[in-house]
Amino acid sequence: MTVAPIRALPLDVLRRRSSEKWREYPEDVLPMFVAETDFPLAPAISTALEHAVRIGDTGYVASQTPLAQAYAAFAQRRFGWTPDASRIRSTADVSMGIVEILRRVVSPGESVIVTPPVYPPFFDLVDEAGAVVERVPLHDTGTGWELDLDGIDAALATGARAVLLCNPHNPTGSVHSRESLAALAEIAERHGAVVVSDEIHAPLVQPDAGFTPFLAASDAAARVGFAVTSASKAFNLAGLKCALMIAASDEHASVLRGLPVEVEWRTGQFGLLAAIAAFSPESDPWLDGLLAALDENRRLLGTLLAEHLPGSRYRMPDAGYLAWIDLTDLGWGDNPAKRILREAKVALHFGPAFGAEGRGHVRLNFGTSPELIREAVQRIAPLVGR
């Protein structure tokens, strides 16, 4: 059955928003940088938040909530995986969850592997946890990106104690295969290491790509892994503050239970209510419509880049709404987003922020209307050859 795509809000409405995307730059700049989307909220979320406001349900998060059960049911419907709700705890956001877990599985000064080009805060989160970043870049196959399993094995053999995994990967939109994740788990287990998997983009995997949660990849993955996820990227809830930390073994569940109660109390009440609504079956049609819209947009972007920015290199992502675009051959320097912002008035995420592998690249957010994607590329096009 064909799913009707949802449509983004009009520009005049979006410019009334007060979030980072719409306040960082002047109104003559088209913002396509930070990971916020331009779609209306899922109706179930709006209803839940409106009800809470009407009755003043704005207090502390309760010690017992249906969030874990709601996520477990969502994961079963969307991924064919049912995590044990008793092994799930919440916190404010995925970054906080990553830091709190790393603090308890890695000793100060030990190394944590990251796989650049990767979400820029990963570098800071490892440092915040008291550890040291060990870079093992993704392997570029020529048609996509894969984990460098041999490189990870070598880094763990020389002392790294954990892997901070991005699954699906930001900024490339790559979805790691079950086989790759299972192999990673075996490597980690052989070295006595831990894998912390950031799965915030998991609900945004396109249906034809499929998604394997790390903890479901194999028995070894369940033993060595933690997952941290949220409804915030798919449902545009970042400002409401709610994420989930998930274990699949008794040992790792005890790590989560041992976290200070304040870690869970940092969960936002509105974030919790919105996440429960997002993970409910009522929101599934909205999410399917979002995926249909993003599918159209990722394909449109490829057509526009080929037409207006010859020399750019773009691989259509399998997940998310973030495009990783190589502009090296256009000769716009290591950080082409700076020139694009200055001369075309389009704000893109700076490629070098994702690691040295991001030189010459930009990240473009296509979680918006086709009209704004078209305008962004057409604004950039006159820079070619200048």
Side-chain angles (χ1 to χ4, degrees):
M1 182 178 68
T2 302
V3 176
I6 63 172
R7 295 303 176 194
L9 294 167
L11 184 59
D12 64 320
V13 174
L14 293 169
R15 290 211 178 274
R16 299 206 302 268
R17 288 182 172 181
S18 61
S19 59
E20 169 68 2
K21 183 175 183 180
W22 296 99
R23 288 292 179 266
E24 178 67 18
Y25 296 103
E27 284 202 4
D28 62 340
V29 172
L30 198 59
M32 315 284 281
F33 66 114
V34 71
E36 299 179 23
T37 57
D38 296 346
F39 302 96
L41 287 179
I45 296 173
S46 295
T47 298
L49 295 177
E50 289 164 2
H51 175 72
V53 170
R54 279 198 307 272
I55 66 172
D57 189 10
T58 54
Y60 293 112
V61 170
S63 59
Q64 300 293 325
T65 79
L67 175 63
Q69 291 80 3
Y71 178 75
F74 175 86
Q76 175 57 47
R77 294 194 311 276
R78 307 300 294 197
F79 315 138
W81 171 55
T82 307
D84 184 340
S86 70
R87 292 171 170 170
I88 298 176
R89 291 193 69 184
S90 71
T91 191
D93 54 41
V94 164
S95 292
M96 185 173 292
I98 288 169
V99 170
E100 294 296 343
I101 291 170
L102 286 178
R103 282 174 172 161
R104 283 150 184 84
V105 300
V106 177
S107 297
E110 291 184 328
S111 296
V112 174
I113 294 168
V114 300
T115 56
V118 74
Y119 179 55
F122 270 21
F123 302 100
D124 293 331
L125 299 179
V126 171
D127 181 67
E128 185 179 348
V132 177
V133 169
E134 177 96 7
R135 298 170 67 261
V136 181
L138 290 182
H139 176 58
D140 186 342
T141 67
T143 58
W145 291 270
E146 296 178 351
L147 295 171
D148 179 358
L149 294 172
D150 289 340
I152 291 171
D153 192 1
L156 292 174
T158 55
R161 304 310 307 141
V163 180
L164 180 50
L165 178 69
C166 203
N167 178 43
H169 197 86
N170 172 12
T172 66
S174 304
V175 179
H176 301 305
S177 69
R178 181 181 296 272
E179 293 74 19
S180 178
L181 296 174
L184 173 63
E186 291 178 6
I187 292 168
E189 188 166 50
R190 186 166 67 249
H191 293 289
V194 169
V195 176
V196 181
S197 184
D198 173 352
E199 301 187 353
I200 198 170
H201 292 274
L204 295 169
V205 174
Q206 288 293 331
D208 60 350
F211 172 69
T212 300
F214 179 76
L215 297 178
S218 67
D219 290 344
R223 290 190 293 269
V224 303
F226 293 89
V228 190
T229 191
S230 173
S232 63
K233 284 294 182 285
F235 295 90
N236 204 41
L237 305 174
L240 300 187
K241 296 300 178 185
C242 179
L244 300 99
M245 303 171 289
I246 308 168
S249 71
D250 289 340
E251 179 184 359
H252 284 180
S254 69
V255 172
L256 296 185
R257 286 194 298 271
L259 294 172
V261 67
E262 287 297 329
V263 172
E264 196 153 18
W265 269 51
R266 292 170 188 154
T267 308
Q269 171 73 342
F270 273 16
L272 179 103
L273 297 173
I276 292 168
F279 293 139
S280 73
E282 189 178 353
S283 291
D284 284 353
W286 183 94
L287 181 55
D288 292 336
L290 174 65
L291 289 169
L294 298 179
D295 182 34
E296 288 186 352
N297 287 353
R298 65 179 181 157
R299 296 175 190 279
L300 171 64
L301 179 60
T303 299
L304 292 170
L305 290 172
E307 178 182 353
H308 295 287
L309 293 179
S312 64
R313 291 194 291 271
Y314 161 73
R315 294 169 184 161
M316 191 169 67
D318 287 325
Y321 47 80
L322 304 170
W324 189 236
I325 306 169
D326 185 353
L327 302 178
T328 304
D329 289 350
L330 298 183
W332 294 351
D334 286 349
N335 195 358
K338 285 188 174 181
R339 183 184 181 193
I340 291 169
L341 176 61
R342 183 177 64 251
E343 299 183 27
K345 302 298 182 182
V346 177
L348 306 177
H349 210 308
F350 294 173
F354 296 82
E357 295 73 17
R359 289 194 293 261
H361 291 68
V362 296
R363 193 189 75 175
L364 181 150
N365 178 345
F366 60 84
T368 185
S369 67
E371 291 77 17
L372 291 188
I373 296 169
R374 189 172 288 107
E375 180 180 347
V377 176
Q378 289 174 347
R379 285 190 186 194
I380 299 168
L383 304 184
V384 176
R386 275 173 32 187

